[in-house]
C-alpha cells in the first residue's frame, strides 16, 4: 500500500470545510492519512478517539458530505479520487469489497452511494478514468467494485433465462408438428418431470429469498445498534440507557433521520438551557426520543463574544 497521501486544495479551501470545528477538520486529515488505497477506513470511530474526537465529529463529516459511513461501521472518504492518484505498481485494492460494491463514481471522481438514485449513464466508465484512478494492469481492480449497468449480473441471468425459455418453446412447437400418439405419451411424462423440476426450482428460489430477507434483517439490526451507540455517545446525559435504547429501537430511524437527531443533540448541547446548572435541565434520553424533541425549535446558543465573556446568541447551530 502506498505510504504517502495527498489532499486537494479545492476540497478543503471551501467555506463549508472551514466552518466545521477544528476537531472535525483534524479528524478528516487523520482519516485521509489512515485510509487504504481506495479511501476506506475500517475503524473510523477508533481513529476519532485516538485524537480526542468522537462520534459527533464523525457525524458532522458525514452530514457535510466529506465521508460516507456504512452500516458495518466502515467509512470511505468521498473525495478520495480527487485527492489521490496512486501509481499502478503501488496500488493495493481495498479489502472492503462489500462496501465498495455499494458505491458509484461520478464524472468529477467523487464517491456516491448507488442507492441515491444516480443514473448509471451519468457515471464515468472509460479507459481514461481507470488510468486516473489506479492505472492498474488489471482493469478488473476497479470494475469489480463499480459495475456499470451493462455488466449487471442480474440482467445477464434474466437474459439467459429468457433465451433458454425461447429455445424450449421453439423446440416444443417444432416437435408438436410431427408428434405421433406414442410421442404424445412421452411428452406427457416429460411434462410431468418438468413440472417437478419447476416446483423444485421454485422452492429453491423461495429459500434463497428467505435467506436474503434474514440477512437484510440482521444487517438492519446491526445498523440500528450502531445508530443508538452513536446517539448515546453524543447525548450529554447518560441516565436510563435501557429505556432510551428501547425507545430508539421502537423509533427505527433511517440513516437520514439518525443524522438529523445527532445534529439536533449537538445543537441543543450548546444551548443555554442544557448547560444551565451543570446540565440539570437536560431530559433523559428516552424522554427526548419519545417526545421527538429534535423537532423542537432551536434554543438560544451560548457563543463567545469578541471579549472574553460569554454571551447568548439567538443563532441556531443547525443553520
Amino acid at each position: 500500500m502506498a505510504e504517502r497521501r495527498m489532499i486537494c486544495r479545492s476540497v478543503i479551501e471551501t467555506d463549508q470545510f472551514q466552518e466545521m470545528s477544528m476537531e472535525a477538520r483534524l479528524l478528516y486529515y487523520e482519516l485521509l492519512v489512515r485510509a487504504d488505497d481506495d479511501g476506506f477506513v475500517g475503524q473510523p470511530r477508533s481513529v476519532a478517539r485516538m485524537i480526542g474526537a468522537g462520534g459527533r465529529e464523525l457525524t458532522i463529516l458525514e452530514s457535510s458530505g466529506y465521508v460516507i459511513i456504512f452500516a458495518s461501521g466502515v467509512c470511505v472518504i468521498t473525495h478520495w479520487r480527487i485527492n489521490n492518484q496512486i501509481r499502478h505498481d503501488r496500488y493495493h485494492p481495498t479489502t472492503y469489497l462489500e462496501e465498495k460494491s455499494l458505491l458509484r463514481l461520478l464524472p468529477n471522481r467523487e464517491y456516491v452511494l448507488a442507492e441515491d438514485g444516480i443514473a448509471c449513464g451519468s457515471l464515468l466508465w472509460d479507459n481514461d478514468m481507470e488510468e486516473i484512478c489506479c492505472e492498474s494492469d488489471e482493469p478488473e481492480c476497479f470494475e469489480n467494485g463499480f459495475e456499470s449497468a451493462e455488466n449487471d449480473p442480474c440482467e445477464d441471468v434474466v437474459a439467459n433465462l429468457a433465451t433458454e425459455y425461447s429455445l424450449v418453446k421453439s423446440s416444443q412447437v417444432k416437435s408438436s408438428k410431427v408428434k405421433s400418439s406414442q410421442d404424445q405419451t412421452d411428452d406427457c411424462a416429460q411434462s410431468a418431470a418438468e413440472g417437478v423440476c419447476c416446483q423444485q426450482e421454485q422452492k429453491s428460489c423461495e429459500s434463497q429469498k428467505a435467506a436474503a430477507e434474514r440477512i437484510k434483517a440482521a444487517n438492519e439490526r446491526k445498523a440500528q445498534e450502531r445508530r443508538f451507540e452513536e446517539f448515546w455517545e453524543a447525548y450529554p446525559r447518560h441516565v436510563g440507557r435501557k429505556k432510551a435504547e428501547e425507545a430508539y429501537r421502537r423509533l427505527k430511524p433511517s440513516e437520514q433521520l439518525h443524522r438529523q437527531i445527532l445534529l439536533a443533540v449537538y445543537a441543543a448541547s450548546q444551548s443555554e438551557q442544557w448547560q444551565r446548572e451543570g446540565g440539570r435541565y437536560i431530559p433523559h434520553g428516552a424522554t427526548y426520543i419519545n417526545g421527538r424533541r429534535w423537532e423542537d425549535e432551536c434554543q438560544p446558543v451560548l457563543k463567545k463574544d469578541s471579549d472574553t465573556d460569554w454571551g447568548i446568541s439567538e443563532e441556531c447551530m443547525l443553520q
Side-chain angles (χ1 to χ4, degrees):
M1 184 174 69
E3 296 295 332
R4 295 182 180 181
R5 294 292 182 249
M6 301 174 62
I7 185 167
C8 185
R9 293 175 57 186
S10 63
V11 175
I12 62 174
E13 290 185 350
T14 61
D15 292 339
Q16 183 181 19
F17 187 86
Q18 298 301 325
E19 288 174 358
M20 293 192 303
S21 63
M22 182 181 298
E23 291 80 4
R25 285 179 285 166
L26 178 60
L27 178 59
Y28 180 78
Y29 297 138
E30 191 71 22
L31 292 174
L32 187 70
V33 172
R34 296 180 180 275
D36 60 21
D37 288 352
D38 284 315
F40 289 84
V41 181
Q43 297 177 331
R45 296 175 64 84
S46 299
V47 176
R49 287 192 291 267
M50 289 174 57
I51 64 172
R56 180 182 303 171
E57 286 72 21
L58 196 61
T59 301
I60 293 175
L61 287 177
E62 183 182 20
S63 61
S64 300
Y66 288 98
V67 298
I68 297 174
I69 303 178
F70 300 93
S72 60
V74 177
C75 83
V76 64
I77 299 175
T78 307
H79 305 91
W80 177 260
R81 297 292 181 185
I82 301 176
N83 289 326
N84 289 275
Q85 300 179 13
I86 302 175
R87 290 171 45 182
H88 68 89
D89 57 337
R90 299 181 180 178
Y91 170 78
H92 292 274
T94 183
T95 57
Y96 304 106
L97 300 180
E98 181 178 355
E99 289 78 8
K100 187 177 180 182
S101 65
L102 301 177
L103 296 177
R104 292 293 182 267
L105 191 69
L106 293 179
N108 64 349
R109 293 180 287 171
E110 179 179 345
Y111 285 146
V112 294
L113 285 173
E115 62 186 12
D116 287 344
I118 304 299
C120 293
S122 65
L123 307 180
L124 193 59
W125 293 117
D126 54 18
N127 295 329
D128 296 336
M129 191 66 244
E130 293 177 3
E131 295 177 358
I132 292 175
C133 291
C134 61
E135 297 183 358
S136 174
D137 293 331
E138 301 179 359
E140 294 81 9
C141 71
F142 195 76
E143 294 178 355
N144 287 343
F146 305 97
E147 297 177 344
S148 62
E150 297 178 355
N151 297 326
D152 192 343
C154 295
E155 293 186 359
D156 293 340
V157 172
V158 173
N160 292 336
L161 290 176
T163 302
E164 293 177 3
Y165 179 78
S166 62
L167 291 176
V168 171
K169 294 296 292 183
S170 177
S171 62
Q172 289 178 350
V173 171
K174 292 180 179 179
S175 61
S176 63
K177 296 180 180 179
V178 293
K179 281 182 179 179
S180 62
S181 59
Q182 183 63 35
D183 293 337
Q184 293 178 354
T185 304
D186 295 339
D187 288 343
C188 291
Q190 182 179 358
S191 298
E194 290 178 353
V196 174
C197 293
C198 291
Q199 292 178 357
Q200 294 177 350
E201 291 178 357
Q202 184 177 2
K203 291 181 180 179
S204 177
C205 182
E206 291 176 353
S207 63
Q208 291 178 0
K209 290 182 179 179
E213 290 294 332
R214 290 194 297 270
I215 295 174
K216 182 179 180 180
N219 291 336
E220 181 63 22
R221 286 195 300 270
K222 291 181 181 179
Q224 293 297 343
E225 292 174 359
R226 174 185 60 82
R227 291 166 186 163
F228 173 75
E229 291 298 333
E230 292 178 353
F231 166 79
W232 190 250
E233 181 179 348
Y235 201 74
R237 189 171 187 179
H238 292 175
V239 177
R241 175 189 172 98
K242 184 176 180 180
K243 292 184 178 180
E245 187 172 3
E246 292 175 354
Y248 215 79
R249 188 182 300 113
R250 289 193 301 270
L251 180 63
K252 294 181 180 180
S254 62
E255 192 67 26
Q256 181 178 1
L257 178 58
H258 171 65
R259 291 196 296 266
Q260 179 183 349
I261 294 174
L262 292 183
L263 290 175
V265 169
Y266 174 75
S269 64
Q270 308 300 317
S271 67
E272 184 271 340
Q273 179 182 357
W274 280 29
Q275 294 189 10
R276 187 189 308 163
E277 299 184 20
R280 176 182 178 184
Y281 299 98
I282 300 176
H284 289 191
T287 304
Y288 183 89
I289 298 170
N290 291 329
R292 301 182 69 90
R293 300 292 295 274
W294 62 88
E295 297 177 351
D296 295 348
E297 294 183 0
C298 297
Q299 300 295 324
V301 177
L302 286 176
K303 183 177 180 181
K304 194 172 182 180
D305 297 334
S306 56
D307 302 330
T308 57
D309 299 330
W310 286 88
I312 296 179
S313 171
E314 297 294 335
E315 296 181 356
C316 173
M317 293 297 293
L318 290 179
Q319 295 178 349

